[in-house]
Amino acid sequence: MLHGYFLRSHFPAGVIKKIDTSKAENYPGVKAVMLVQENLPMVIRFAGQEICAIAAETLHQARQAAQLITIEYDTRK
């Protein structure tokens, strides 16, 4: 059985210019890291919007892996 966790936006609006999931993908127990939208830039329309999903052997591993994902936001209006 795998456990899932969504990495969500902390910002209410903006654009994601760059995402690096390589560290999360290599974290022990992680089976998959999937972006909700493959093409960048990704538009953020509300705080809490899903950015990517992590599947791992335990929920703890999925949450830890999510913390390793680096995101470059542009939040200027």
Side-chain angles (χ1 to χ4, degrees):
M1 178 165 92
L2 294 178
H3 297 266
Y5 183 80
F6 280 103
L7 177 62
R8 298 174 185 271
S9 173
H10 297 288
F11 300 102
V15 176
I16 294 177
K17 294 185 162 196
K18 186 177 179 183
I19 298 177
D20 182 7
T21 61
S22 59
K23 290 180 183 176
E25 291 168 1
N26 293 317
Y27 192 79
V30 172
K31 301 299 179 184
V33 176
M34 297 175 54
L35 297 177
V36 173
Q37 177 183 326
E38 290 294 326
N39 300 326
L40 294 178
M42 177 186 211
V43 178
I44 299 299
R45 293 183 173 86
F46 58 93
Q49 180 176 331
E50 295 90 356
I51 297 170
C52 65
I54 300 103
E57 294 173 354
T58 68
L59 183 57
H60 177 75
Q61 290 169 327
R63 287 180 175 165
Q64 291 298 111
Q67 293 180 359
L68 299 174
I69 296 172
T70 57
I71 302 173
E72 182 181 322
Y73 289 94
D74 181 359
T75 57
R76 290 178 278 152
K77 292 185 178 184

